[in-house]
Amino acid sequence: MTENSQAQPAANPELPTQYAPAEVEGKLYERWVERGYFEADEKSGKPPYTIVIPPPNVTGSLHLGHAFEHTIIDALTRRKRMQGYETLWQPGMDHAGIATQNVVERELAKEGKSRHDLGREAFVERVWQWKEESGGQISGQMRRLGDGVAWSRERFTMDEGLSDAVQTIFKRLFDDGLIYRAERIINWCPRCLTAISDIEVEYQDDDGELVSIKYGDGDETLVVATTRAETMLGDTAVAVHPDDARYAHLVGRRIKLPLTDRTIPVVADTHVDPEFGTGAVKVTPAHDPNDFEIGRRHDLPNITVMDERAVITVPGPFQGLDRFEARSTIVAALRAEGRIVAEKRPYVHSVGHCSRCKTTVEPRLSLQWWVKVETLAKAAGDAVRDGRVTIHPKEMESRYFAWMDNLNDWNISRQLWWGHRIPVWHGPDGETVCVGPNEEPPTGEGWHQDTDVLDTWFSSGLWPFSTLGWPEQTPSLEKFYPNSVLVTGYDILFFWVARMMMFGLYAMDGTPPFHTIALHGMVRDQFGKKMSKSFGNAVNPLDWMDKYGSDAVRFTLARGANPGVDVPIGEDWVQGSRNFANKIWNATRFAMMNGATVEGPLPDAAQMSATDRWILSRLNETVAQVDALYEDYQFAKLSDALFHFAWDEVFDWYVELSKTTFFAGGEQAKVSGRVLGEVLDVTLRLLHPIVPFVTETLWTTLTGKESVVVADWPTDSGFRDQAAEREIEHLQQVVTEVRRFRADQGLQPGQKVPGRLDLSATPLAAHEAAIRQLLRLQEEGDSFQATATLPVAGATVALDLSGTIDVPAERKRLTKDRDAAQKEKQQATAKLGNEAFLAKAPDNVVDKIRGRLTKAEADIERLTAQLAALPES
């Protein structure tokens, strides 16, 4: 364990009787910021440790998922800072193209206007204005949580430097032939009026209809089934399998398309499954990705039947109808012509919806910009396969590879006004010029910039290096790239992580953007249900911070943070964490009032009591355990280890065991006071990364030093005393068993009873005063009657319970409990002795029954001893 060599300890430190988070948290955070603790210096000789914040949307506010993720990152960076690293936690926000444009458009709608009323330039100016006025609330919420970010380095994905980075990498990709423009089927949102990527589509089961329609007449008849009857207006073929004998005579012929004056060919294509449905499928190349590929193979025309708002554009009786109105109208018209062969309603099937506005997505043929991902995705996959990047937990690797190895070209253009404008100019004769930063675009009649903007994930994919000044070779880039670790949810492994991996390797000469990807789960309610406003279970973390303090919220979240696993959380758990913070406060305050000190070196082990040596041995073991768990990103386990060490071993055992020493005074009290001071010093430093506010207040008061934020992280000194650990474990066994007996007899925890203590057969003689204190044992006195005698772990404890319990009632209760335990033992023994049962039962069932037998035997032994200890009635 190391010490922080700053100011001298305060004399007679004092703390308020109660901890009031609201009175200290804000002041402490501002002090940390003012003193520059969270800033990072690229000129320092310290080793770097870098983490970027997953940039929250400028439209948003801090939700419980943010608080969870930020708690993990803050704990990592606070610990590394204490370990002597030059630590950079890079803050910033994302411009969130679609989401932000939607917000501002809704504001305009309240004024009776649309973005088209303002025009593009004025609308973008309006969005910037909204961003300045409303986009900063997350920063304040991050401060409430205690985020130790380098505020002076805060970035925004559309600030000048990041815009230069976007333009630079676009031009490089374009010049390398990795960005192209082409017509493809894309996911189109008729509400947001833009293309969205595959991973921005959410699929859910919807009630629809499946109708079977007869195409053609007489011998040239085929039946096709569809859930989207309105798209038949754009059919340009019917496809069958080449080996399907049923339709061999029709391949190459043309048949009548119902409700139109067109005929369409029957084509043979191996994509068709002859065993599914009728074995014939309608082909609508402009409105289905599979049909588009069939159309390309057979040189079919592409007929678009809807506009950008999903309104039918085909001249005729259905023109002007919304797609869903058109669906029912077309089915009715087909029914009237006798073309409907079968109808199934409701027909539950998976339907894609826009992840932002929940509108049903429309597959649509569109001219878009694309990134050719084959080589980029391979490089990103190889970086994990060859060990340059580690995914944690490891079982998430398979999901990553499954995605990267099958990645389709990335549609990067969006039909929005808010975002990074695509840096391509189109000329009057079809010329295309891509313009980089500081390059002049072409001018003259007919030249214009592309109207689309880039997908938000394009700019956030540059985040690990654009925030450090790239494409300039800045000192920050040299010092802090690559990032040490990326902490993010498994839910955006494909959205964000994949993009950063591809761009980082491409832009930074094969150097991946981070060494480790640490994936965490989603925060859910206490029943494991996804949190959502629509479910009525969403939680504003600020409400819990106001009620219980930020430390309580942070500790609750950390205790649930198992790698890659969802985190259930309920308010009662936050209450428990608040109680833990209060326990830390009250126990530290008591200890400081009763001799705990950090002055001077630790006494030699020979001067210490066994209790002192035990707690120091356990302290070092905890330091080692916590360090190992940090390196494995096991936040739940390390938080639990700290909780039980602090509450159980330090506060409930060591402080209690030391009270008699402190009350007695003298040299031994000074020794134990110094040991207790050391234990508190180290424990508070271990706890600090997760509960920073209460530990800062207590540690600075205890030590008189500047701040635990810049204190040294504890190290394992190697001190172990197995003999002392066994001795105190022996003591704990005695005290625990007698306490259990007292509770079983209905005695209150603080109720004192006369007792005789015989420790002659144990190594615990030196602890008699402490054991008496812990067991609330009075001296025997002249009238002492040993009404209950307990042999426990070599010790004998005789108690005078006369007048304190109803012996006949207690004997009856214990006998009933023992009878139940004996019955349980008989049942478990019978099952375990049944060979037929053992041959068929699963291993986990057999193990459970063995556990029941073990517990029953222990209960019988315990209850028999309690009955024997009762006085004769």
Side-chain angles (χ1 to χ4, degrees), residues 486-503:
L486 172 75
V487 177
T488 193
Y490 64 71
D491 56 315
I492 58 172
L493 179 63
F494 313 130
F495 283 83
W496 189 41
V497 179
R499 269 65 171 160
M500 287 189 289
M501 286 288 285
M502 290 191 295
F503 281 169

Side-chain angles (χ1 to χ4, degrees), residues 797-866:
V797 183
L799 303 176
D800 183 353
L801 302 179
S802 56
T804 61
I805 60 172
D806 182 343
V807 174
E810 187 61 21
R811 187 177 297 281
K812 183 178 180 181
R813 183 184 71 81
L814 292 172
T815 301
K816 181 180 178 181
D817 289 348
R818 186 176 64 178
D819 290 345
Q822 288 172 336
K823 184 177 179 180
E824 175 75 4
K825 177 183 176 181
Q826 290 169 358
Q827 292 175 342
T829 302
K831 284 190 175 182
L832 294 173
N834 185 334
E835 295 296 333
F837 170 78
L838 293 176
K840 295 180 180 179
D843 290 345
N844 64 316
V845 173
V846 175
D847 290 342
K848 186 176 181 180
I849 293 172
R850 287 186 178 128
R852 284 166 49 191
L853 175 60
T854 300
K855 181 178 184 301
E857 290 173 338
D859 288 344
I860 291 168
E861 182 180 356
R862 174 176 59 82
L863 293 164
T864 300
Q866 290 176 11

Side-chain angles (χ1 to χ4, degrees), residues 564-634:
V565 178
D566 289 346
V567 183
I569 184 172
E571 186 169 0
D572 55 336
W573 303 338
V574 186
Q575 292 173 358
S577 295
R578 184 269 315 275
N579 295 343
F580 179 51
N582 288 340
K583 180 77 170 182
I584 299 169
W585 181 273
N586 294 332
T588 303
R589 181 174 179 273
F590 172 84
M592 291 167 62
M593 292 171 60
N594 287 274
T597 179
V598 295
E599 294 189 63
L602 273 176
D604 291 335
Q607 298 175 270
M608 299 179 191
S609 67
T611 308
D612 295 333
R613 298 194 304 276
W614 162 73
I615 197 62
L616 288 176
S617 184
R618 291 296 306 129
L619 177 65
N620 278 284
E621 181 61 37
T622 301
V623 170
Q625 182 183 8
V626 168
D627 272 335
L629 291 170
Y630 259 115
E631 296 305 315
D632 200 32
Y633 302 97
Q634 297 281 357

Side-chain angles (χ1 to χ4, degrees), residues 202-211 225-231 276 288 323-324 327 344-353 360-363:
E202 295 178 347
Y203 287 90
Q204 66 184 47
D205 288 341
D206 286 358
D207 287 343
E209 60 181 354
L210 180 68
V211 293
T226 182
T227 59
R228 303 171 66 224
E230 69 280 6
T231 63
F276 183 77
D288 183 276
R323 56 183 164 163
F324 300 120
R327 181 177 300 171
K344 186 175 181 180
R345 189 182 296 109
Y347 178 73
V348 178
H349 61 133
S350 182
V351 178
H353 296 260
T360 299
V361 168
E362 191 65 40

Side-chain angles (χ1 to χ4, degrees), residues 281-294:
V281 297
K282 59 192 287 296
V283 181
T284 320
H287 291 278
D288 183 276
N290 293 321
D291 293 3
F292 177 76
E293 295 303 323
I294 293 175

